[in-house]
Amino acid sequence: MTVIVTGGAGFIGGNFIYYMLKNHPEDRVVCVDCLTYAGNLSTLKEAMEHSNFRFCKINICDREAVYGLFEEEHPDVVINFAAESHVDRSIENPEVFLQTNILGTAVMMDACRKYGIRRYHQVSTDEVYGDLPLDRPDLFFTEETPIHTSSPYSSSKAGADLLVLAYHRTYGLPVTISRCSNNYGPYHFPEKLIPLMIANALADKPLPVYGEGLNVRDWLYVEDHCRAIDLIVRKGRVGEVYNVGGHNEMRNIDIVKLICKEFGKPESLITHVTDRKGHDMRYAINPTKIYNELGWLPETKFADGIKKTIRWYLENREWWENIINGEYQNYYERMYGNR
Ligand code: NAD
Ligand code: TYD
């Protein structure tokens, strides 16, 4: 079958493309990505050598270009990873989040309606559920937890999710949605917590922890997320939402201390900076549904995943050094300069 993967030059989409080429070599994979600051063609260097892989530089908001591609490729499946994905940038400038995350999703689904599709899958996030209090470790997000967003990013993702479910009900579009917790692993853009701390620790630069660093995230190795999406697309029930997470809750401060330890760097590098506006306290997924229906369980333990990730950043310095030496420097100065 032919699978369109949007956002494949980014972190999770890129990992998903390699997952597909490895596990389903019989499928044709067409990557749609407009290469924003977060998209990186060098991520797809090895994929480019596969005969059943195609890269198309297309913005998912560009209806004409998207329809043209559907006419050429007749995809069986569309998996929409493309998004503006960074909470801090959404606080700086929400507009592009609304454009890509909501309007872009509508364009992709309109194309699916017009040309026909076996499955449209929306890659969403646990952030659509808002946050949980730190003093209630018994609470977890289930698929029934009400949508209750905090940031422009999570609001735009929630808007997209509602639209996806509406297209299912109104037009009968065969959709599924996955809502995953925080991912980590190779090709993670260095503006996000784990790769930022790895890059700064290696350069003996301050490690900027927002507030006290007590916020909790539920970390999942990216390959486990890719496997979950693949299962949902092939075996999940149409019209359903599946939460994806591995019961691996950690406080930010503990992650940063662990990274210091792995590199033998002093904890004195840790610098507490002004907190993020509206900062969500805790995310925690209840993955019972995907386990019961599809047998999915995470395979990579955090202790192993973080070692693999650190090794990848050490062995692929060029990939991330090219990023942090470019336009990213302006962002870093804006975000952390006077914090
Ligand atoms: P990312 O920022 O690393 O990559 C996003 C990719 O989308 C980039 O390649 C970018 O060029 C592309 N893109 C952006 N706007 C586009 C547009 N208008 N048209 C075409 N391409 C466009 O993001 P990521 O971390 O890989 O996240 C992928 C998806 O997974 C997102 O939908 C995100 O909301 C979701 N998600 C991420 C996490 C996480 O921890 N990173 C967790 C749960 C869900
Ligand atoms: P991030 O990787 O941006 O993911 P998200 O906000 O989508 O969960 O941030 C993870 C956590 O780390 C979040 O609580 C904010 C915090 N954080 C810092 O303390 N310092 C930083 O420099 C960054 C980027 C994040």
Side-chain angles (χ1 to χ4, degrees), residues 9-12 33-34 36 39 59-60 81 83 85 100 124 153 157 183:
F11 166 43
I12 308 176
D33 199 302
C34 71
T36 67
N59 189 318
I60 60 165
F81 291 87
S85 68
T100 291
S124 186
Y153 162 68
K157 292 296 288 184
N183 285 212

Side-chain angles (χ1 to χ4, degrees), residues 85-88 127 153 182 191-194 196-197 208-210 215 217 219 252 276 279-280 283 336:
S85 68
H86 192 37
V87 173
D88 292 324
E127 300 193 27
Y153 162 68
N182 287 60
E191 68 188 350
K192 305 282 171 63
L193 179 76
I194 289 181
L196 184 144
M197 296 301 167
V209 169
Y210 298 169
N215 310 65
R217 298 293 184 262
W219 294 94
N252 295 340
R276 174 186 280 172
H279 199 171
D280 280 337
Y283 303 143
Y336 296 94

Side-chain angles (χ1 to χ4, degrees), residues 78-98:
V78 169
I79 308 180
N80 187 24
F81 291 87
E84 288 293 334
S85 68
H86 192 37
V87 173
D88 292 324
R89 290 189 192 247
S90 83
I91 294 168
E92 256 196 323
N93 178 19
E95 193 175 339
V96 66
F97 285 73
L98 309 184

Side-chain angles (χ1 to χ4, degrees), residues 53-339:
F53 175 77
R54 177 182 176 195
F55 176 80
C56 299
K57 188 171 184 301
I58 290 176
N59 189 318
I60 60 165
C61 302
D62 182 345
R63 193 173 288 274
E64 214 183 306
V66 169
Y67 285 11
L69 182 69
F70 272 66
E71 276 175 23
E72 275 174 42
E73 290 287 348
H74 308 289
D76 302 284
V77 170
V78 169
I79 308 180
N80 187 24
F81 291 87
E84 288 293 334
S85 68
H86 192 37
V87 173
D88 292 324
R89 290 189 192 247
S90 83
I91 294 168
E92 256 196 323
N93 178 19
E95 193 175 339
V96 66
F97 285 73
L98 309 184
Q99 268 161 10
T100 291
N101 299 3
I102 302 179
L103 296 177
T105 296
V107 169
M108 291 308 299
M109 289 195 297
D110 285 341
C112 292
R113 283 173 57 211
K114 186 169 158 71
Y115 295 97
I117 199 81
R118 267 161 53 192
R119 179 66 63 87
Y120 173 88
H121 183 77
Q122 178 74 2
V123 180
S124 186
T125 163
D126 60 357
E127 300 193 27
V128 301
Y129 299 122
D131 65 351
L132 297 164
L134 289 183
D135 61 358
R136 289 293 307 274
D138 55 313
L139 295 181
F140 296 90
F141 298 136
T142 72
E143 290 79 2
E144 275 71 50
T145 301
I147 301 285
H148 187 84
T149 55
S150 315
S151 70
Y153 162 68
S154 55
S155 306
S156 67
K157 292 296 288 184
D161 280 15
L162 295 176
L163 205 57
V164 172
L165 294 173
Y167 270 53
H168 173 61
R169 174 153 175 169
T170 308
Y171 306 116
L173 196 70
V175 306
T176 38
I177 297 178
S178 51
R179 294 185 180 143
C180 190
S181 57
N182 287 60
N183 285 212
Y184 68 101
Y187 302 113
H188 203 179
F189 196 84
E191 68 188 350
K192 305 282 171 63
L193 179 76
I194 289 181
L196 184 144
M197 296 301 167
I198 291 175
N200 282 17
L202 280 170
D204 294 306
K205 279 173 63 176
L207 306 175
V209 169
Y210 298 169
E212 291 183 70
L214 302 180
N215 310 65
V216 170
R217 298 293 184 262
D218 185 358
W219 294 94
L220 183 72
Y221 192 62
V222 62
E223 205 179 321
D224 280 323
H225 186 192
C226 294
R227 191 164 39 83
I229 292 171
D230 186 41
L231 266 175
I232 295 167
V233 165
R234 284 165 205 268
K235 300 197 178 128
R237 286 184 294 136
V238 163
E240 292 292 316
V241 174
Y242 293 89
N243 283 354
V244 184
H247 282 303
N248 182 57
E249 292 178 50
M250 291 186 70
R251 300 188 310 178
N252 295 340
I253 189 74
D254 296 328
I255 299 247
V256 179
K257 284 183 179 169
L258 185 92
I259 289 172
C260 288
K261 195 163 157 235
E262 288 290 332
F263 287 117
K265 301 287 180 182
E267 288 183 8
S268 56
L269 282 178
I270 295 174
T271 313
H272 291 273
V273 300
T274 311
D275 210 348
R276 174 186 280 172
K277 290 190 178 82
H279 199 171
D280 280 337
M281 285 316 298
R282 172 176 169 250
Y283 303 143
I285 285 274
N286 175 341
T288 305
K289 180 173 173 180
I290 189 167
Y291 173 67
N292 284 346
E293 284 192 22
L294 305 176
W296 178 90
L297 277 177
E299 283 175 1
T300 303
K301 291 197 175 60
F302 189 78
D304 301 329
I306 194 73
K307 282 196 165 55
K308 274 206 263 188
T309 303
I310 286 174
R311 201 178 324 124
W312 188 88
Y313 278 86
L314 287 172
E315 287 168 1
N316 293 275
R317 272 179 174 266
E318 209 186 319
W319 182 88
W320 56 272
E321 280 177 353
N322 278 342
I323 294 171
I324 61 177
N325 291 333
E327 188 264 337
Y328 177 72
Q329 273 180 2
N330 299 330
Y331 164 81
Y332 198 89
E333 190 47 41
R334 260 194 347 265
M335 195 56 69
Y336 296 94
N338 296 314
R339 200 158 179 158

